[in-house]
Amino acid sequence: MIVCSCNVLSDQDVRTACQAEARPRSTGQVYGCLGCSAQCGRCARTIRKIMDEALDAAEAATACNGCAVHPKP
């Protein structure tokens, strides 16, 4: 699903950026990881929500070393 029509970024693009070794801490860093910058900013809340979900999932998987409840991505 496209979440940023200005830069044509999908939710999967954002999730992939959140899996980078140096995980982004801000929406600006996500745009930077994907080689662009915020244009109108209307997507910032959606990108933040996707970031939070992806980073929480990655943290949970790391915390329990990929148990049955939190399989490794």
Side-chain angles (χ1 to χ4, degrees):
M1 169 177 70
I2 298 296
V3 295
C4 173
S5 56
C6 298
N7 291 304
V8 192
L9 300 178
S10 69
D11 60 325
Q12 189 58 47
D13 293 331
V14 175
R15 291 178 200 285
T16 299
C18 291
Q19 293 174 351
E21 194 167 313
R23 293 186 176 142
R25 294 178 179 257
S26 68
T27 54
Q29 289 177 331
V30 169
Y31 291 117
C33 287
L34 297 171
C36 57
S37 60
Q39 300 297 314
C40 74
R42 293 178 61 190
C43 58
R45 284 187 181 177
T46 302
I47 288 177
R48 183 75 232 182
K49 183 178 176 188
I50 294 168
M51 283 176 62
D52 289 344
E53 291 172 0
L55 295 172
D56 286 349
E59 186 175 314
T62 302
C64 64
N65 200 20
C67 69
V69 177
H70 303 105
K72 289 183 178 181

